[in-house]
Amino acid sequence: MFVAIVPGQSILVPEAPHLQRFVPPAQDLRVRWRLSATEFLFTPLLMVLGFVGLAAVSVFADIALSRSRGAVHDLFLRLFPHDNLLRMLSVIASGLVTVTTLTLSALLVAISHTSTSVAPVVFDQFLRRRANQAYFGYFAGCATFTYLVMAVSRPEWIGVGAMLAVVLAAGALVLLVFMGYGVIDQMRPTSVVRSIQDLAIRARLRQMPLVARSRRRRTLDGEPTSVTTRETGYVIDISTARLQDLLRGTGEEIEVEFRVRIGDLLAYGDIVAHIRGGDTGRRAHVADNILSCVMIDRSRNAGVDPDHAVEQLGHVAWAANSTRQNPDVAVAAIGALRDLSARWAAAGVPDAELYGGPLPVVYEDVVQRRIVTALVDLVVVSTSSRQHQTCAAALSTLADILPQLEGRDRDVAVRSLQRALPATLSHVASVEMGHGLAKLRATLDTIGREDLADEVREMGPRLARESGLGEEGDMLDSLDDSTPTGPLSFRFR
């Protein structure tokens, strides 16, 4: 039976079996636990268990030492009376809980403020940092250790556990200083940008087997068998190992063309892949099992999704590009995007044999297009804040990136840039804007897009006139004389 909720009442209606397939499956508790443990919980819980084990060892040590009564045993009992130890443990335990609570509250306020001014990615970074997980695990484990020792303590024990609790509490106070500095350092926008950049590099390396073993264009024709999904969420990974097992023995008869990429958001009924080639039975077998190769989650992870890391850098620059924000943060994010593009273009795609050989799989790699999209978005959004520095940095970075792109990536980048260029006319005719436009014009000449280069050249004088500089050549002619584009070739007109 289904329960239909009507305002003011609940009505039981007969169960309809044909509607069951439209009901999203409940998320498995094991999956939810895995996600939570991966994001934050695993390290703190492991440390708490370690402190529980240490408490057990200290209890057994107290029991063993209390049996061998002697001068040392009596001396410890006189120096550390049982009542004093209990009071001290009580103070330590309550103090640790109080300090942890206050520290956590202050950190949440700081993180919330930083995420508002920079980007929500700060929350993800804070949770995923091993150092932060270890800090919270230490404080929670130290409090747990103290409570356990206090609960089982006996008057005749010499207090090994109590003395360990004092040492651990002193370590917690020292660690609090390091934790405070570490968190403050993490909240710096430049640290946020660098952390995302490092995540993007590692995620790209993890994605490389899929990119290397797949092809960019399909080779088989014919009516495909479409595979759709019932799940809702983001594609966080596509397993090449599972694809290899599934397609073993098919050779080139079967081709799997993925219609989604890592990072895409899926809804019910979205097409995940097209299966072509082979007979009906083989296509059906591959279609029935291809979804097991695609991992879907409710949240993205920049550690395994380089596109998400690129978008996060774009969001950081976008937030910093708004009114009353420091443009240096946006420029730092743009610099990180330029660095990523240069590294990935220089590295290229390795040979498929390094990862086990090619697979009959079509997967289009668009990571460079994501970078271009983020930069073009910044050119457009800078019109609202009038931050000419950010617009100029984005134009200059696009000029650096365009020669590195090939084929369709370059065509898409040029078309996107052509549509966004009119937005630059809303800025002032600053020296930075002049350098950015001149550098972009030289790059367009170099890659053979003289038509768009002429359009960019006309924008300089227009920008100068609209800024009240008078003559058309006031802005860019002087820049041509100083050759601001460095080694890039210039074609004077």
Side-chain angles (χ1 to χ4, degrees), residues 139-159:
F139 282 105
C142 189
T144 303
F145 174 89
T146 305
Y147 278 117
L148 290 176
V149 171
M150 184 171 57
V152 299
S153 181
R154 296 293 184 270
E156 65 273 12
W157 292 358
I158 64 174

Side-chain angles (χ1 to χ4, degrees), residues 17-30:
H18 68 283
L19 295 178
Q20 290 290 336
R21 61 192 182 95
F22 298 107
V23 179
Q27 190 177 26
D28 192 347
L29 183 60
R30 292 173 298 177

Side-chain angles (χ1 to χ4, degrees), residues 28-45:
D28 192 347
L29 183 60
R30 292 173 298 177
V31 175
R32 296 177 62 184
W33 163 250
R34 177 180 58 81
L35 297 177
S36 302
T38 302
E39 188 174 38
F40 182 77
L41 294 179
F42 179 76
T43 299
L45 290 180

Side-chain angles (χ1 to χ4, degrees), residues 234-255:
Y234 294 96
V235 179
I236 62 169
D237 199 9
I238 298 177
S239 173
T240 54
R242 295 183 184 181
L243 284 172
Q244 180 175 327
D245 293 339
L246 178 61
L247 300 174
R248 182 178 287 114
T250 61
E252 295 295 325
E253 297 180 9
I254 296 288
E255 183 181 67

